[in-house]
Amino acid sequence: MPQKSSRSRLAALAVCAGAVVGANQVHASELVFWSVWNEPEPQAVALRKIMSAYSQKHPETSFKVVWNGRQNQTKLRGALQAGIPVDLMDADADQLAGGLQMDGLGYDLTGELTGETKSAFLPGVLDLYAVKGHYIQFPYIYNTVNFWYNKDLLKKVGGSVPATFDELLSLCRTTRKAGKDALVIEGNVGFYNVLYFSNYLERLKGSGAVVKAFEDKSGAGWSDPAVLAAAKASRAVWDAGCIAADAPGFQYPAGQQTIAQGDTLGELVASWLPTELSESTGKDFSWGAFNFPAVADGKGKATDLEVGLLSFMVLKNSAHPKEAASFLNDVIGEDSQKILVAEGGVGVPRRGVAWPAALADGQTAAANATALSPFGGGLTTAYPEFTSNVLHPEFNKMFLGKTTPEEFVSTLVAKTKEYWDSHK
Amino acid sequence: MRSSQIVSFLKRSASYLVVGFWSIFSVFFVLWIILASLKKTRDLFGSPWSLPDNPVFGNYVKTWISNRFGDYFLNSFIVVNVSVVSILLVSVPAAYVLSRGNFRGQRALSNFIASGMGVPFPLLFVPLFVIMATLRLIDTLTGLTIVYVALSIPFTIYVLEGFFSSLPSELESAAIMDGCTDFEVFRWVMLPLAAPGIATVAILNFIGLWNEYQLSLVLINSPEKRTLSLGIYSLITSMQYSGGDWAGLFAGVTIVMVPTIALFIALSEKMISGITMGGVK
């Protein structure tokens, strides 16, 4: 009898165990992730840690990562054509918005993001690339566009952070008197240089002014006096001696290296600059950042911000979209975001997570942002073809003194009309 | 000195001047790259023309190990060597037959193969990608090797045809009279005579494929299968957003340059004799 009893108990246990296993049974899924990072980069190191931590919490999910580097989106297009399965990818948010997202290849995350996830983001970040309230891409690295400068040098030349554009020009003169240059540019990087134009125009007319000017299909949007004023202000930084006379000859990264060498105060660029220069500056370099200053009679606020984000996107044809979305909910979690800061050395979009010390002013700008627009005013995102073929090269010509602001504006008017006539 | 001698002297001096200036220019930049690879990034931009104070050999270690240039070097080495051998195996007999054979459509076939040189590679990206994906050879070093071989054959045959045409036909006739078969004539008489020409095309193909970038970018996805040129490109692009290790980049460039320079040094005489030989028909 005791034997029979123990057998029945064992049988009962087995049935119960089976029931429990059955209730918890989940299909193991391997998420295929194609990344914009190269394997040795610190951001890749951070992502590996985040994925590993996620797999520990969710043993049913594993990751297969292809570290493609910056050609990720281009390579992904080929892979999709060849039928190679990919669940998740990441890229520069602007390029993604004008690329795979615009082509409708992203999975709609709107129903997959938890309330906690949506409320975790700093103001405006998640909505910046949303299409009619639908979230297709998921920002996870946050770069702010500001003047990034050497705090010690600012002190040494006796300058102070400018609040207005006139004060910026005055700072240039002060810096020049001290034998240094206030600002530097890269002669061959049109999409950096155009920041003077887009930021000034947005300060005058408000956030989104660049796209708005372009979307007048007659081209007349550029005839607004504010556009000419923004173009003239861009030239004014040269006339005030802000930038060294030989700077047009600088090819990336020659310009920014002058900041590390202590010859120049700063540059109008995004918050990746301290990281890019870390090999040259060392860890003790005293970085500061200030927003593009206010302009007289401007509608835009000095706290409006242009940003450069990096985002994940779940592919529309992913075999595991819900699992991928679940991972994204984890990426914005406090632990994951702290790993990105500590290991990746980047700014992050989650509220309340401290950015690396060198980027502290960037975080302040992000936290106080009253309006966000994409890098360069958003035209790259919405109309990449016009931006790269017309706006950037034409602006650069004017900025470097080869054409006048008036010629620049009239070219924009004519080319915009041409664009819309051919895109009816 | 007669006036013709003066003119000849001046012409020769001008040639030496141009070639000398070009050589100094080239050697200077190769040396500059090597010296740059031994500096810290800060010194590279701060004092670009100075010699490195304390050579930083760690740049090479970092590039070779952390940036996986060791793997990329091996991939390039395998793909390029297998490609060059395969190209020669196909092209040498083909060029011999096309230059010495006598059959209908010989000229048309020769011109058809030569026309392959005129097709720009970018036009082939999409069809190549689709074909290789269909054959399940996309993202494989085997697939890349096959494409390299296929696209290098027209040039190689075209050049080798010139070499074979320049060889005296009397030697062939003598060998046939001695009882050699067509294959024996090719193997034991013409092939050794064409050795300088074969060395030339081997070197030219090696250098061309060693530095090839576009096709490998299209056909290779996985980082572990990257060739050196893709490795260099990924290193350049990673300068944005990440800490710009420019000195490490120059270490990578030096690693890429070494095999081609070594090959030139070892085989330059053969190559020059091959080129001059092929030029005389």
Side-chain angles (χ1 to χ4, degrees):
Chain A
M1 282 302 287
Q3 213 174 8
K4 193 180 173 188
S5 160
S6 72
R7 261 190 210 153
S8 0
R9 257 184 252 143
L10 268 174
L13 200 67
V15 169
C16 288
V20 170
V21 169
N24 290 334
Q25 195 171 32
V26 281
H27 295 290
S29 52
E30 183 183 61
L31 294 179
V32 180
F33 168 41
W34 281 34
S35 179
V36 75
W37 306 109
N38 292 292
E39 204 171 357
E41 291 186 87
Q43 295 87 341
V45 173
L47 286 178
R48 266 202 302 275
K49 270 199 171 180
I50 292 169
M51 286 184 278
S52 167
Y54 185 81
S55 288
Q56 276 180 1
K57 283 185 276 181
H58 303 267
E60 73 283 2
T61 305
S62 59
F63 293 87
K64 183 184 173 190
V65 188
V66 179
W67 302 105
N68 272 323
R70 306 298 184 273
Q71 290 289 316
N72 193 34
Q73 192 170 201
T74 311
K75 283 181 167 277
L76 191 63
R77 282 182 187 280
L80 293 176
Q81 276 183 343
I84 295 170
V86 179
D87 297 296
L88 188 65
M89 57 87 66
D90 63 347
D92 191 280
D94 278 355
Q95 290 172 12
L96 198 52
L100 294 178
Q101 180 178 340
M102 195 180 265
D103 296 341
L105 295 173
Y107 177 79
D108 187 353
L109 293 166
T110 315
E112 309 292 345
L113 304 181
T114 63
E116 194 189 336
T117 293
K118 289 178 194 167
S119 61
F121 281 93
L122 282 163
V125 178
L126 187 58
D127 294 320
L128 189 60
Y129 295 98
V131 183
K132 294 174 185 170
H134 291 265
Y135 303 117
I136 310 296
Q137 57 170 283
F138 189 89
Y140 74 101
I141 290 180
Y142 196 140
N143 291 295
T144 59
V145 174
N146 321 84
F147 284 96
W148 286 88
Y149 71 98
N150 177 346
K151 273 183 173 174
D152 291 340
L153 187 58
L154 181 69
K155 212 180 284 174
K156 201 171 160 188
V157 301
S160 58
V161 170
T164 66
F165 194 74
D166 288 340
E167 284 179 21
L168 175 71
L169 300 182
S170 167
L171 172 64
C172 294
R173 287 184 277 270
T174 309
T175 313
R176 170 107 336 163
K177 272 182 201 161
K180 301 286 180 185
D181 294 310
L183 299 171
V184 73
I185 58 142
E186 310 288 354
N188 64 330
V189 187
F191 67 94
Y192 277 7
N193 296 336
V194 84
L195 292 173
Y196 282 93
F197 174 69
S198 62
N199 274 281
Y200 196 98
L201 187 56
E202 292 193 317
R203 290 288 179 267
L204 268 177
K205 301 288 288 179
S207 191
V210 182
V211 174
K212 205 172 162 189
F214 176 72
E215 286 183 338
D216 182 331
K217 295 182 178 176
S218 67
W222 300 114
S223 300
D224 188 316
V227 176
L228 183 60
K232 284 183 171 173
S234 308
R235 279 301 307 166
V237 293
W238 291 92
D239 299 338
C242 295
I243 305 171
D246 57 350
F250 285 151
Q251 303 289 298
Y252 175 86
Q256 64 188 37
Q257 288 290 337
T258 63
I259 300 171
Q261 304 295 332
D263 299 329
T264 305
L265 193 57
E267 184 178 9
L268 178 58
V269 66
S271 52
W272 53 69
L273 184 68
T275 315
E276 281 188 17
L277 282 180
S278 59
E279 284 266 340
S280 302
T281 56
K283 285 181 179 168
D284 298 330
F285 195 86
S286 180
W287 282 106
F290 58 86
N291 282 5
F292 196 92
V295 302
D297 304 323
K299 287 180 191 165
K301 295 177 182 167
T303 44
D304 294 350
L305 201 59
E306 286 191 11
V307 297
L309 309 175
L310 279 109
S311 295
F312 281 108
M313 193 174 87
V314 177
L315 276 297
K316 204 173 189 174
N317 62 355
S318 160
H320 314 286
K322 291 191 183 298
E323 290 85 345
S326 163
F327 169 66
L328 296 186
N329 281 309
D330 186 80
V331 167
I332 199 67
E334 195 171 341
D335 292 345
S336 300
Q337 296 278 288
K338 280 182 175 170
I339 291 173
L340 273 166
V341 171
E343 301 287 340
V346 293
V348 289
R350 186 183 171 91
R351 293 172 199 266
V353 173
W355 293 13
L359 309 182
D361 287 350
Q363 181 173 22
T364 307
N368 297 330
T370 37
L372 295 187
S373 57
F375 196 92
L379 210 58
T380 312
T381 314
Y383 306 99
E385 184 193 332
F386 182 85
T387 312
S388 57
N389 294 336
V390 180
L391 180 66
H392 288 169
E394 290 301 328
F395 176 80
N396 222 32
K397 272 197 261 176
M398 186 278 293
F399 189 58
L400 300 180
K402 291 172 190 159
T403 57
T404 63
E406 288 79 6
E407 285 168 338
F408 166 65
V409 171
S410 61
T411 305
L412 286 185
V413 171
K415 294 282 182 188
T416 299
K417 188 173 180 317
E418 248 175 55
Y419 176 90
W420 288 114
D421 286 347
S422 63
H423 287 77
K424 274 179 181 169
Chain B
M1 198 182 272
R2 285 185 302 177
S3 63
S4 62
Q5 282 178 315
I6 295 171
V7 170
S8 160
F9 172 76
L10 286 176
K11 273 184 181 171
R12 201 177 307 153
S13 303
S15 313
Y16 277 114
L17 204 67
V18 171
V19 173
F21 182 76
W22 177 250
S23 304
I24 291 168
F25 184 82
S26 304
V27 170
F28 173 78
F29 279 104
V30 169
L31 286 177
W32 188 87
I33 288 169
I34 294 169
L35 290 176
S37 71
L38 296 170
K39 289 181 178 180
K40 288 178 184 164
T41 297
R42 185 182 169 81
D43 299 335
L44 176 61
F45 289 97
S47 33
W49 307 114
S50 70
L51 292 170
D53 289 337
N54 296 306
V56 187
F57 292 102
N59 290 334
Y60 282 90
V61 177
K62 197 171 161 191
T63 304
W64 189 262
I65 296 168
S66 305
N67 290 311
R68 301 183 67 169
F69 266 56
D71 296 342
Y72 305 157
F73 190 94
L74 189 65
N75 290 341
S76 279
F77 191 80
I78 292 168
V79 168
V80 173
N81 280 296
V82 172
S83 297
V84 170
V85 170
S86 307
I87 290 164
L88 293 180
L89 282 175
V90 175
S91 303
V92 174
Y96 175 66
V97 170
L98 285 170
S99 73
R100 309 304 279 236
N102 190 12
F103 56 92
R104 255 176 89 182
Q106 178 195 14
R107 189 63 10 223
L109 184 60
S110 189
N111 288 340
F112 176 72
I113 291 172
S115 68
M117 287 191 298
V119 181
F121 283 3
L123 282 184
L124 301 174
F125 287 168
V126 175
L128 271 178
F129 189 90
V130 173
I131 291 168
M132 298 317 273
T134 310
L135 296 173
R136 297 188 179 277
L137 287 170
I138 205 79
D139 197 25
T140 63
L141 294 180
T142 310
L144 185 64
T145 306
I146 290 170
V147 170
Y148 277 175
V149 172
L151 296 182
S152 304
I153 282 174
F155 165 75
T156 312
I157 289 181
Y158 178 77
V159 175
L160 283 176
E161 265 191 79
F163 284 111
F164 282 116
S165 303
S166 69
L167 299 177
S169 58
E170 289 80 4
L171 292 170
E172 256 177 320
S173 308
I176 289 168
M177 282 169 68
D178 285 346
C180 285
T181 62
D182 284 347
F183 180 75
E184 284 168 341
V185 173
F186 166 68
R187 172 66 188 85
W188 300 111
V189 179
M190 303 308 275
L191 199 59
L193 288 172
I198 294 169
T200 304
V201 290
I203 295 167
L204 291 176
N205 275 310
F206 184 92
I207 293 166
L209 297 179
W210 189 261
N211 296 320
E212 197 285 323
Y213 166 71
Q214 289 181 316
L215 288 165
S216 45
L217 178 70
V218 173
L219 298 173
I220 297 293
N221 286 326
S222 308
E224 67 272 15
K225 290 173 190 157
R226 280 179 188 155
T227 55
L228 271 176
S229 52
L230 288 181
I232 284 283
Y233 186 73
S234 72
L235 206 54
I236 292 170
T237 53
S238 66
M239 298 297 161
Q240 195 197 6
Y241 297 139
S242 297
D245 181 11
W246 293 91
L249 173 66
F250 285 113
V253 172
T254 307
I255 290 170
V256 174
M257 285 192 310
V258 164
T260 50
I261 290 175
L263 204 68
F264 258 124
I265 291 169
L267 297 175
S268 60
E269 276 189 24
K270 252 196 175 152
M271 189 176 155
I272 291 163
S273 73
I275 287 172
T276 43
M277 184 182 162
V280 182
K281 285 197 180 182

